[in-house]
Amino acid sequence: MKKILMIEDDLELAEILTEYLEQFEFEVITEDDPFKAVSILKLEPFDLVILDLTLPGMDGLEVCEAIRERQDIPIIISSARSDVTDKIKALELGADDYLPKPYDPRELEARIHSVLRRYAAKSEAKEESKSDFKCDTSSMMITYKSRNIDLTNAEFGILAYMIAKQGLVVSREDLIHNVNAINEDSSNKSIDVMVGRIRNKLGDKTLIESVRGVGYKLLK
């Protein structure tokens, strides 16, 4: 369940939107005080912020800037202010989307899903960039520290699966059942042989750790 912080001083609107979004398994916390909202974000994890611009005591643009200075979290502006300058300024300050009021709750729900998908893809790309491994399934090419590794189809499948599960233990049975190039009748011994060849081709046998009685773990 994704958790949303809605910073909105129109409590009637907030209630309507909350009831609608809860149908899609979103947990919505509403706060009408922008100062408290910024404090809550420091203390609790949220997946997305819906932010009104006209708030008591602190302009929504200032709230947007304060959030973005501290956190990389999706922000959708929900505002009745129609001045295009506000929209441009909000986007410049790091807002991910701007939804002018009034709007259909269905559009808000669609925008939330769109923004969350973009953030998920960005996070995945960041995680992948931390690894020395790069895996291109379309060309069936794996590189380690920018060096192409010459692999058979089965070896490619094994290493690609390990990269997808990097840092986690992978059993021999996982490899047999999830790597298409491996015959399901293959023995654990044949898996061990292929992993041994992969270790040699990587040039660093410590990269793939043996987990006794289970399988292997590709270290980060």
Side-chain angles (χ1 to χ4, degrees):
M1 180 177 284
K2 297 294 185 181
K3 191 173 178 182
I4 296 173
L5 177 62
M6 185 182 301
I7 309 174
E8 172 65 69
D9 66 341
D10 184 340
L11 298 182
E12 184 178 349
L13 173 62
E15 185 177 352
I16 292 170
L17 294 175
T18 297
E19 289 181 1
Y20 182 80
L21 293 174
E22 283 176 346
Q23 300 177 65
F24 301 93
E25 299 188 348
F26 289 116
E27 179 187 356
V28 183
I29 307 298
T30 301
E31 180 53 65
D32 61 351
D33 184 324
F35 295 98
K36 287 183 180 178
V38 173
S39 297
I40 289 171
L41 279 169
K42 295 177 185 176
L43 301 174
E44 297 181 40
F46 286 88
D47 297 290
L48 182 138
V49 173
I50 299 172
L51 172 62
D52 185 20
L53 291 187
T54 305
L55 296 166
M58 186 178 186
D59 187 78
L61 292 173
E62 295 176 84
V63 178
C64 182
E65 185 173 20
I67 295 171
R68 187 53 76 228
E69 284 176 352
R70 296 173 176 83
Q71 290 177 272
D72 183 20
I73 183 172
I75 301 173
I76 295 178
I77 302 296
S78 164
S79 178
R81 280 159 45 174
S82 57
D83 189 341
V84 69
T85 304
D86 285 325
K87 181 176 182 178
I88 293 170
K89 185 65 174 175
L91 295 173
E92 287 177 343
L93 289 173
D96 297 276
D97 207 343
Y98 193 104
L99 195 54
K101 297 176 183 175
Y103 52 79
D104 191 308
R106 291 176 297 179
E107 183 176 3
L108 175 61
E109 184 260 332
R111 300 280 187 106
I112 289 171
H113 280 297
S114 177
V115 170
L116 287 175
R117 280 195 300 270
R118 291 203 303 269
Y119 262 73
K122 184 170 74 171
S123 297
E124 188 175 322
K126 281 183 179 178
E127 284 300 314
E128 186 177 331
S129 67
K130 293 178 183 177
S131 173
D132 288 325
F133 289 95
K134 296 291 180 289
C135 179
D136 185 345
T137 54
S138 60
S139 64
M140 293 190 67
M141 177 59 67
I142 292 176
T143 61
Y144 175 63
K145 292 185 176 179
S146 302
R147 177 173 61 87
N148 290 342
I149 309 300
D150 185 19
L151 302 165
T152 65
N153 287 348
E155 291 166 358
F156 172 85
I158 290 172
L159 187 53
Y161 188 79
M162 286 185 175
I163 290 170
K165 303 289 185 180
Q166 195 165 1
L168 302 176
V169 177
V170 174
S171 71
R172 295 174 180 85
E173 290 75 18
D174 285 337
L175 294 171
I176 291 171
H177 294 310
N178 290 285
V179 177
N180 292 333
I182 296 178
N183 191 307
E184 290 206 359
D185 296 326
S186 297
S187 66
N188 288 346
K189 181 63 177 177
S190 64
I191 298 297
D192 293 340
V193 170
M194 285 187 278
V195 170
R197 291 202 301 260
I198 293 170
R199 282 176 169 146
N200 290 332
K201 291 179 179 183
L202 290 174
D204 184 348
K205 295 183 180 182
T206 65
L207 287 171
I208 301 177
E209 181 182 275
S210 293
V211 180
R212 187 177 179 84
V214 183
Y216 303 97
K217 178 167 69 173
L218 182 65
L219 302 180
K220 292 187 176 182

